[in-house]
Amino acid sequence: MTNERVLYEPTRPVFPSPAGLITSVDAEGRPNIITLGEVFNLSISDPVIVGVAIAPARYSHELISAQREFVVNLPPADLLERVLQCGQVSGRKADKFAEFGLTPLPATHVSPPLIAECPINIECRVLSVQTIGDHDLFQGEVLAHHVSPKLLGEDGRIDRERLSAVVFAHWAFYEMGPLMSVWR
Ligand SMILES: Cc1cc2nc3c(=O)[nH]c(=O)nc-3n(C[C@H](O)[C@H](O)[C@H](O)COP(=O)(O)O)c2cc1C
């Protein structure tokens, strides 16, 4: 590394971030999916709050604003093709579950479904919506956090070696790298 720097256009300057598949429903319960390049942990306990930033033009923005519920589904690396597909077609024009071969599972606390192909699903109720520049930040109180038993070790805790994620950085996708160290 040198001390030299060049000024660089700051689009999505912070990296990496986990990609998410966010589910929502319309008033009749028809589900939709949107791909996001980042999902945020905003409050880590009492209550746990996650954030999703969605542009006003998206159909998902309309659905989540009306129903005030969403589910954050975290895709493993092998779901990358579906991550791209759900991010290139609007639910105004397509049933993304049917079109892209994804399986809805009933949630326990909210109307939007979990995505079976994603081993971690976070049910959220909207606490607030804040306009942040070109996106609106939906703050979601976490009502339930579902984890596939396939990710659990013998002690019933998440086995970190089994975690997989679609990692987004500078408009490209990566897999999670190897475990370096465990903090706690
Ligand atoms: C990798 C990737 C990341 C994206 N990140 C966001 C995002 O953070 N916020 C957003 O509003 N749209 C994002 N999009 C675009 C939406 O996923 C896309 O416009 C989608 O078709 C909207 O679907 P909907 O109209 O059914 O809600 C992203 C798309 C891709 C492929």
Side-chain angles (χ1 to χ4, degrees), residues 16-96:
S17 53
L21 292 174
I22 313 307
T23 45
S24 54
V25 286
D26 69 11
E28 281 74 49
R30 280 184 295 259
N32 188 38
I33 310 170
I34 182 173
T35 295
L36 300 183
E38 47 265 297
V39 178
F40 316 100
N41 292 308
L42 298 176
S43 169
I44 60 171
S45 65
D46 299 328
V48 180
I49 301 173
V50 298
V52 293
I54 304 181
R58 315 290 187 230
Y59 184 46
S60 298
H61 187 288
E62 182 182 324
L63 298 187
I64 297 170
S65 298
Q67 305 303 321
R68 299 189 70 83
E69 293 177 338
F70 61 90
V71 177
V72 174
N73 301 273
L74 295 176
D78 63 10
L79 224 61
L80 176 59
E81 195 185 338
R82 260 73 151 255
V83 169
L84 281 167
Q85 289 168 326
C86 290
Q88 293 179 94
V89 175
S90 177
R92 290 192 180 94
K93 298 197 175 138
D95 172 348
K96 298 189 209 183

Side-chain angles (χ1 to χ4, degrees), residues 120-172:
I120 296 189
N121 324 89
I122 305 161
E123 297 186 32
C124 300
R125 173 176 55 210
V126 173
L127 289 177
S128 76
V129 189
Q130 208 180 341
T131 298
I132 312 272
D134 60 358
H135 282 62
D136 285 350
L137 176 67
F138 292 82
Q139 295 188 26
E141 179 180 1
V142 174
L143 304 181
H145 178 213
H146 303 276
V147 178
S148 164
K150 289 187 179 157
L151 294 185
L152 303 181
E154 279 177 9
D155 60 357
R157 309 293 304 165
I158 287 178
D159 175 357
R160 281 108 160 182
E161 300 281 3
R162 301 187 201 182
L163 289 175
S164 173
V166 174
V167 176
F168 194 50
H170 283 269
W171 303 91

